[in-house]
Amino acid sequence: MSTKEKNLELLYNAWLSRSVSWEFGSEDERKAQCRDWAESSLENITDAEEFDQDEADYIVDDELTHWTE
């Protein structure tokens, strides 16, 4: 698995964990939306930058902070 693919999975997991209580039409819709958000989050990260789940959680939390401002 490439660094980019690994980072995408970490971001996807972070989005999934935060969206559990959000309203979606179905679980598949929630997963698809989280995948889209993860891909969007990854756009600002270089392919060589490797991080762990804690950093992925921080990235998503930071984005959510901007959503609520």
Side-chain angles (χ1 to χ4, degrees):
M1 184 181 291
S2 72
T3 299
K4 184 175 185 174
E5 291 169 327
K6 180 180 174 237
N7 289 346
L8 180 61
E9 280 305 303
L10 292 170
L11 289 166
Y12 174 68
N13 290 336
W15 280 111
L16 277 178
S17 70
R18 279 144 186 81
S19 65
V20 170
S21 64
W22 301 349
E23 297 270 336
F24 289 93
S26 68
E27 183 64 12
D28 288 341
E29 183 181 317
R30 180 174 80 94
K31 288 179 179 179
Q33 182 61 63
C34 287
R35 179 69 60 189
D36 289 346
W37 287 330
E39 289 172 357
S40 178
S41 297
L42 195 59
E43 289 176 2
N44 300 321
I45 299 167
T46 65
D47 290 347
E49 187 179 346
E50 189 171 340
F51 50 84
D52 61 17
Q53 190 64 59
D54 287 339
E55 290 169 294
D57 291 341
Y58 175 82
I59 291 166
V60 170
D61 288 342
D62 187 56
E63 289 187 32
L64 287 171
T65 300
H66 294 298
W67 285 10
T68 58
E69 289 180 345

